[in-house]
Amino acid sequence: MLRACAALLTVALAGTAFAQYGYAPFFDQPLVQNRGYGLELVLQRLRIVDAFPAPLNDELKEQVEEMLDSDVKRFVGTLEQRDAQLAADLLEALAELTELVDSGEDASAATQAARELVWRAYDVVVHPDIWRSPAYIGGLIADLTLGEGGVAEGYEEAADGGEDLWVFTSGWSALQRVNKLWAELLDVANAQQRADVEEMLVILNGLYPQAQPPEAITGSPEEAEAPVQRMLG
């Protein structure tokens, strides 16, 4: 994974001076990258809530619970140090959202309120000059495609006997963000890189046509991994 991430950072910095940014997320500022990924994971869970009417099934409820059980731990300490009130408001909003989802109630309003707080937290935890930079965006794409419940693993786990079929939805949610992040890198990618990545995204979007997983996935569980690895390389 480390080699793939490094390769993507090379693409992200193509056509610009590395010194202009002064950091490489996976090497110089791993904590910043980790905090940002935590925020992205929370947003990934919120997209899952938005994708289905209430009540969510038990597998999706477990994914939503990861916001408080795991995701926020990547960044909440930093947020509390820099803006204690915002941290408290965000944790309260996520707890309320989780409770609504767990009880099977409509959580659309709570999801929107939580999302607004997450974006406010993003500016506090990761400086805007960083999270809008190509190097950082490239690192996030690597995280979202290769990380747990990401694009490659979401498809693999769903296809591997079907026991974790609803991890497919997690991979779908990650891919929605990857599509948007890639659009922000177009200006620093050359023509060949754009063609290669967009070809792989066509394949990946074909594997994830919707949030709802198919009844069964036939074919290789690794079918998403090959285009992901080529895209990053």
Side-chain angles (χ1 to χ4, degrees):
M1 175 178 175
L2 189 58
R3 287 194 298 271
C5 293
L8 180 62
L9 294 183
T10 301
V11 173
L13 292 170
T16 187
F18 180 78
Q20 178 182 352
Y21 299 98
Y23 57 84
F26 288 109
F27 302 100
D28 294 343
Q29 293 195 18
L31 290 178
V32 172
Q33 188 70 33
N34 184 57
R35 293 165 189 155
Y37 183 40
L39 289 156
E40 292 288 344
L41 286 172
V42 172
L43 293 168
Q44 184 169 316
R45 317 295 184 189
L46 297 180
R47 282 191 294 273
I48 290 172
V49 178
D50 279 340
F52 298 95
L56 298 186
N57 65 42
D58 290 342
E59 288 85 354
L60 292 181
K61 287 179 181 179
E62 290 178 2
Q63 292 182 36
V64 173
E65 289 171 359
E66 287 296 308
M67 291 189 300
L68 288 172
D69 292 343
S70 177
D71 302 340
V72 297
K73 295 177 181 178
R74 293 175 179 265
F75 65 84
V76 72
T78 300
L79 182 59
E80 287 174 337
Q81 290 179 346
R82 298 177 182 177
D83 192 330
Q85 185 60 57
L86 179 56
D89 291 344
L90 177 56
L91 291 174
E92 182 180 355
L94 294 179
E96 178 185 352
L97 170 62
T98 302
E99 184 176 343
L100 288 171
V101 169
D102 189 56
S103 63
E105 298 179 52
D106 176 47
S108 55
T111 302
Q112 180 58 32
R115 182 179 290 107
E116 292 173 1
L117 290 169
V118 173
W119 284 118
R120 286 177 54 196
Y122 222 133
D123 281 337
V124 174
V125 173
V126 182
H127 193 281
D129 287 347
I130 294 177
W131 71 258
R132 295 189 181 106
S133 72
Y136 177 76
I137 293 169
L140 286 182
I141 291 176
D143 283 329
L144 291 166
T145 51
L146 290 176
E148 183 176 353
V151 177
E153 187 185 81
Y155 191 88
E156 179 180 358
E157 291 196 16
D160 191 12
E163 294 182 2
D164 296 308
L165 186 62
W166 286 90
V167 184
F168 179 96
T169 303
S170 179
W172 168 86
S173 181
L175 182 58
Q176 307 316 297
R177 182 64 170 150
V178 168
N179 285 321
K180 291 184 178 180
L181 290 171
W182 168 245
E184 298 181 25
L185 288 182
L186 289 176
D187 289 343
V188 296
N190 62 38
Q192 187 60 57
Q193 290 163 346
R194 288 196 296 271
D196 288 343
V197 171
E198 287 166 11
E199 179 185 352
M200 295 305 100
L201 286 175
V202 167
I203 295 172
L204 292 170
N205 283 302
L207 294 175
Y208 284 105
Q210 59 188 23
Q212 175 84 28
E215 292 185 5
I217 296 176
T218 59
S220 171
E222 305 289 336
E223 199 164 350
E225 174 121 4
V228 161
Q229 292 288 359
R230 181 180 168 189
M231 181 174 69
L232 298 184

